[in-house]
PDB file of all heavy atoms in Angstrom:
ATOM      1  N   GLY A  55     212.767  79.421  27.413  1.00 98.00           N
ATOM      2  CA  GLY A  55     213.559  78.617  28.343  1.00 98.00           C
ATOM      3  C   GLY A  55     213.596  79.210  29.739  1.00 98.00           C
ATOM      4  O   GLY A  55     213.537  78.477  30.735  1.00 98.00           O
ATOM      5  N   SER A  56     213.672  80.522  29.841  1.00 98.00           N
ATOM      6  CA  SER A  56     213.683  81.170  31.162  1.00 98.00           C
ATOM      7  C   SER A  56     212.356  80.963  31.881  1.00 98.00           C
ATOM      8  O   SER A  56     212.326  80.782  33.110  1.00 98.00           O
ATOM      9  CB  SER A  56     213.960  82.665  31.014  1.00 98.00           C
ATOM     10  OG  SER A  56     215.246  82.869  30.486  1.00 98.00           O
ATOM     11  N   LEU A  57     211.264  80.985  31.136  1.00 98.00           N
ATOM     12  CA  LEU A  57     209.944  80.743  31.738  1.00 98.00           C
ATOM     13  C   LEU A  57     209.832  79.292  32.215  1.00 98.00           C
ATOM     14  O   LEU A  57     209.298  79.027  33.299  1.00 98.00           O
ATOM     15  CB  LEU A  57     208.841  81.084  30.729  1.00 98.00           C
ATOM     16  CG  LEU A  57     208.785  82.548  30.300  1.00 98.00           C
ATOM     17  CD1 LEU A  57     207.870  82.720  29.087  1.00 98.00           C
ATOM     18  CD2 LEU A  57     208.357  83.443  31.445  1.00 98.00           C
ATOM     19  N   ILE A  58     210.357  78.372  31.423  1.00 98.00           N
ATOM     20  CA  ILE A  58     210.353  76.953  31.815  1.00 98.00           C
ATOM     21  C   ILE A  58     211.172  76.769  33.084  1.00 98.00           C
ATOM     22  O   ILE A  58     210.735  76.084  34.017  1.00 98.00           O
ATOM     23  CB  ILE A  58     210.882  76.074  30.664  1.00 98.00           C
ATOM     24  CG1 ILE A  58     209.873  76.063  29.517  1.00 98.00           C
ATOM     25  CG2 ILE A  58     211.187  74.655  31.142  1.00 98.00           C
ATOM     26  CD1 ILE A  58     210.397  75.495  28.216  1.00 98.00           C
ATOM     27  N   ASP A  59     212.348  77.369  33.143  1.00 98.00           N
ATOM     28  CA  ASP A  59     213.183  77.277  34.350  1.00 98.00           C
ATOM     29  C   ASP A  59     212.450  77.819  35.569  1.00 98.00           C
ATOM     30  O   ASP A  59     212.527  77.241  36.663  1.00 98.00           O
ATOM     31  CB  ASP A  59     214.501  78.027  34.157  1.00 98.00           C
ATOM     32  CG  ASP A  59     215.432  77.346  33.166  1.00 98.00           C
ATOM     33  OD1 ASP A  59     215.244  76.143  32.871  1.00 98.00           O
ATOM     34  OD2 ASP A  59     216.353  78.039  32.679  1.00 98.00           O
ATOM     35  N   ALA A  60     211.719  78.915  35.409  1.00 98.00           N
ATOM     36  CA  ALA A  60     210.977  79.500  36.532  1.00 98.00           C
ATOM     37  C   ALA A  60     209.861  78.564  36.997  1.00 98.00           C
ATOM     38  O   ALA A  60     209.618  78.434  38.208  1.00 98.00           O
ATOM     39  CB  ALA A  60     210.411  80.859  36.138  1.00 98.00           C
ATOM     40  N   ILE A  61     209.199  77.903  36.069  1.00 98.00           N
ATOM     41  CA  ILE A  61     208.149  76.937  36.431  1.00 98.00           C
ATOM     42  C   ILE A  61     208.760  75.749  37.164  1.00 98.00           C
ATOM     43  O   ILE A  61     208.231  75.284  38.177  1.00 98.00           O
ATOM     44  CB  ILE A  61     207.371  76.493  35.184  1.00 98.00           C
ATOM     45  CG1 ILE A  61     206.536  77.674  34.661  1.00 98.00           C
ATOM     46  CG2 ILE A  61     206.490  75.287  35.483  1.00 98.00           C
ATOM     47  CD1 ILE A  61     206.002  77.478  33.264  1.00 98.00           C
ATOM     48  N   HIS A  62     209.872  75.234  36.672  1.00 98.00           N
ATOM     49  CA  HIS A  62     210.545  74.115  37.350  1.00 98.00           C
ATOM     50  C   HIS A  62     210.930  74.500  38.780  1.00 98.00           C
ATOM     51  O   HIS A  62     210.728  73.717  39.718  1.00 98.00           O
ATOM     52  CB  HIS A  62     211.801  73.695  36.580  1.00 98.00           C
ATOM     53  CG  HIS A  62     211.521  73.030  35.287  1.00 98.00           C
ATOM     54  ND1 HIS A  62     212.524  72.674  34.422  1.00 98.00           N
ATOM     55  CD2 HIS A  62     210.373  72.663  34.679  1.00 98.00           C
ATOM     56  CE1 HIS A  62     212.002  72.098  33.351  1.00 98.00           C
ATOM     57  NE2 HIS A  62     210.694  72.096  33.487  1.00 98.00           N
ATOM     58  N   LYS A  63     211.489  75.695  38.945  1.00 98.00           N
ATOM     59  CA  LYS A  63     211.878  76.175  40.271  1.00 98.00           C
ATOM     60  C   LYS A  63     210.659  76.287  41.186  1.00 98.00           C
ATOM     61  O   LYS A  63     210.693  75.854  42.349  1.00 98.00           O
ATOM     62  CB  LYS A  63     212.589  77.523  40.148  1.00 98.00           C
ATOM     63  CG  LYS A  63     213.043  78.103  41.469  1.00 98.00           C
ATOM     64  CD  LYS A  63     213.772  79.430  41.261  1.00 98.00           C
ATOM     65  CE  LYS A  63     214.182  79.999  42.602  1.00 98.00           C
ATOM     66  NZ  LYS A  63     213.797  81.367  42.787  1.00 98.00           N
ATOM     67  N   ALA A  64     209.575  76.837  40.669  1.00 98.00           N
ATOM     68  CA  ALA A  64     208.349  76.951  41.473  1.00 98.00           C
ATOM     69  C   ALA A  64     207.832  75.570  41.861  1.00 98.00           C
ATOM     70  O   ALA A  64     207.326  75.380  42.977  1.00 98.00           O
ATOM     71  CB  ALA A  64     207.287  77.730  40.701  1.00 98.00           C
ATOM     72  N   GLY A  65     207.967  74.611  40.964  1.00 98.00           N
ATOM     73  CA  GLY A  65     207.555  73.242  41.283  1.00 98.00           C
ATOM     74  C   GLY A  65     208.358  72.659  42.435  1.00 98.00           C
ATOM     75  O   GLY A  65     207.796  72.043  43.347  1.00 98.00           O
ATOM     76  N   ARG A  66     209.676  72.858  42.415  1.00 98.00           N
ATOM     77  CA  ARG A  66     210.516  72.375  43.527  1.00 98.00           C
ATOM     78  C   ARG A  66     210.128  73.069  44.829  1.00 98.00           C
ATOM     79  O   ARG A  66     210.010  72.442  45.877  1.00 98.00           O
ATOM     80  CB  ARG A  66     211.995  72.608  43.224  1.00 98.00           C
ATOM     81  CG  ARG A  66     212.581  71.707  42.164  1.00 98.00           C
ATOM     82  CD  ARG A  66     214.106  71.831  42.047  1.00 98.00           C
ATOM     83  NE  ARG A  66     214.562  73.185  41.776  1.00 98.00           N
ATOM     84  CZ  ARG A  66     214.658  73.745  40.566  1.00 98.00           C
ATOM     85  NH1 ARG A  66     214.306  73.038  39.492  1.00 98.00           N
ATOM     86  NH2 ARG A  66     215.111  74.965  40.417  1.00 98.00           N
ATOM     87  N   GLU A  67     209.921  74.381  44.749  1.00 98.00           N
ATOM     88  CA  GLU A  67     209.564  75.149  45.947  1.00 98.00           C
ATOM     89  C   GLU A  67     208.179  74.769  46.455  1.00 98.00           C
ATOM     90  O   GLU A  67     207.941  74.774  47.666  1.00 98.00           O
ATOM     91  CB  GLU A  67     209.643  76.647  45.646  1.00 98.00           C
ATOM     92  CG  GLU A  67     211.074  77.104  45.434  1.00 98.00           C
ATOM     93  CD  GLU A  67     211.196  78.526  44.922  1.00 98.00           C
ATOM     94  OE1 GLU A  67     210.196  79.086  44.418  1.00 98.00           O
ATOM     95  OE2 GLU A  67     212.313  79.070  45.022  1.00 98.00           O
ATOM     96  N   PHE A  68     207.272  74.408  45.569  1.00 98.00           N
ATOM     97  CA  PHE A  68     205.944  73.963  45.994  1.00 98.00           C
ATOM     98  C   PHE A  68     206.037  72.675  46.805  1.00 98.00           C
ATOM     99  O   PHE A  68     205.394  72.538  47.844  1.00 98.00           O
ATOM    100  CB  PHE A  68     205.034  73.777  44.775  1.00 98.00           C
ATOM    101  CG  PHE A  68     203.645  73.334  45.134  1.00 98.00           C
ATOM    102  CD1 PHE A  68     202.720  74.238  45.618  1.00 98.00           C
ATOM    103  CD2 PHE A  68     203.269  72.006  44.964  1.00 98.00           C
ATOM    104  CE1 PHE A  68     201.433  73.831  45.947  1.00 98.00           C
ATOM    105  CE2 PHE A  68     201.986  71.586  45.282  1.00 98.00           C
ATOM    106  CZ  PHE A  68     201.061  72.500  45.777  1.00 98.00           C
ATOM    107  N   THR A  69     206.858  71.736  46.329  1.00 97.00           N
ATOM    108  CA  THR A  69     206.993  70.471  47.051  1.00 97.00           C
ATOM    109  C   THR A  69     207.683  70.655  48.403  1.00 97.00           C
ATOM    110  O   THR A  69     207.518  69.832  49.300  1.00 97.00           O
ATOM    111  CB  THR A  69     207.761  69.420  46.218  1.00 97.00           C
ATOM    112  OG1 THR A  69     209.075  69.896  45.958  1.00 97.00           O
ATOM    113  CG2 THR A  69     207.031  69.109  44.928  1.00 97.00           C
ATOM    114  N   GLN A  70     208.425  71.749  48.561  1.00 97.00           N
ATOM    115  CA  GLN A  70     209.079  72.068  49.837  1.00 97.00           C
ATOM    116  C   GLN A  70     208.229  73.027  50.677  1.00 97.00           C
ATOM    117  O   GLN A  70     208.695  73.563  51.679  1.00 97.00           O
ATOM    118  CB  GLN A  70     210.457  72.688  49.571  1.00 97.00           C
ATOM    119  CG  GLN A  70     211.400  71.743  48.876  1.00 97.00           C
ATOM    120  CD  GLN A  70     212.634  72.439  48.310  1.00 97.00           C
ATOM    121  OE1 GLN A  70     212.782  73.658  48.364  1.00 97.00           O
ATOM    122  NE2 GLN A  70     213.538  71.648  47.757  1.00 97.00           N
ATOM    123  N   ASP A  71     206.977  73.258  50.250  1.00 97.00           N
ATOM    124  CA  ASP A  71     206.029  74.141  50.932  1.00 97.00           C
ATOM    125  C   ASP A  71     206.549  75.572  51.046  1.00 97.00           C
ATOM    126  O   ASP A  71     206.292  76.259  52.024  1.00 97.00           O
ATOM    127  CB  ASP A  71     205.663  73.579  52.308  1.00 97.00           C
ATOM    128  CG  ASP A  71     204.362  74.151  52.832  1.00 97.00           C
ATOM    129  OD1 ASP A  71     203.457  74.425  52.017  1.00 97.00           O
ATOM    130  OD2 ASP A  71     204.257  74.357  54.053  1.00 97.00           O
ATOM    131  N   GLU A  72     207.266  76.021  50.022  1.00 97.00           N
ATOM    132  CA  GLU A  72     207.794  77.388  49.996  1.00 97.00           C
ATOM    133  C   GLU A  72     207.058  78.272  48.996  1.00 97.00           C
ATOM    134  O   GLU A  72     207.221  79.488  49.018  1.00 97.00           O
ATOM    135  CB  GLU A  72     209.284  77.361  49.635  1.00 97.00           C
ATOM    136  CG  GLU A  72     210.147  76.643  50.642  1.00 97.00           C
ATOM    137  CD  GLU A  72     211.571  76.435  50.156  1.00 97.00           C
ATOM    138  OE1 GLU A  72     211.897  76.837  49.017  1.00 97.00           O
ATOM    139  OE2 GLU A  72     212.361  75.842  50.916  1.00 97.00           O
ATOM    140  N   CYS A  73     206.278  77.678  48.118  1.00 98.00           N
ATOM    141  CA  CYS A  73     205.576  78.414  47.072  1.00 98.00           C
ATOM    142  C   CYS A  73     204.140  77.900  47.008  1.00 98.00           C
ATOM    143  O   CYS A  73     203.907  76.694  46.986  1.00 98.00           O
ATOM    144  CB  CYS A  73     206.281  78.216  45.730  1.00 98.00           C
ATOM    145  SG  CYS A  73     205.488  79.060  44.343  1.00 98.00           S
TER     146      CYS A  73
END
Side-chain angles (χ1 to χ4, degrees):
S56 296
L57 297 168
I58 291 167
D59 290 342
I61 291 166
H62 290 175
K63 180 179 179 231
R66 288 189 303 275
E67 291 171 343
F68 181 78
T69 62
Q70 297 166 356
D71 200 34
E72 297 171 359
C73 179

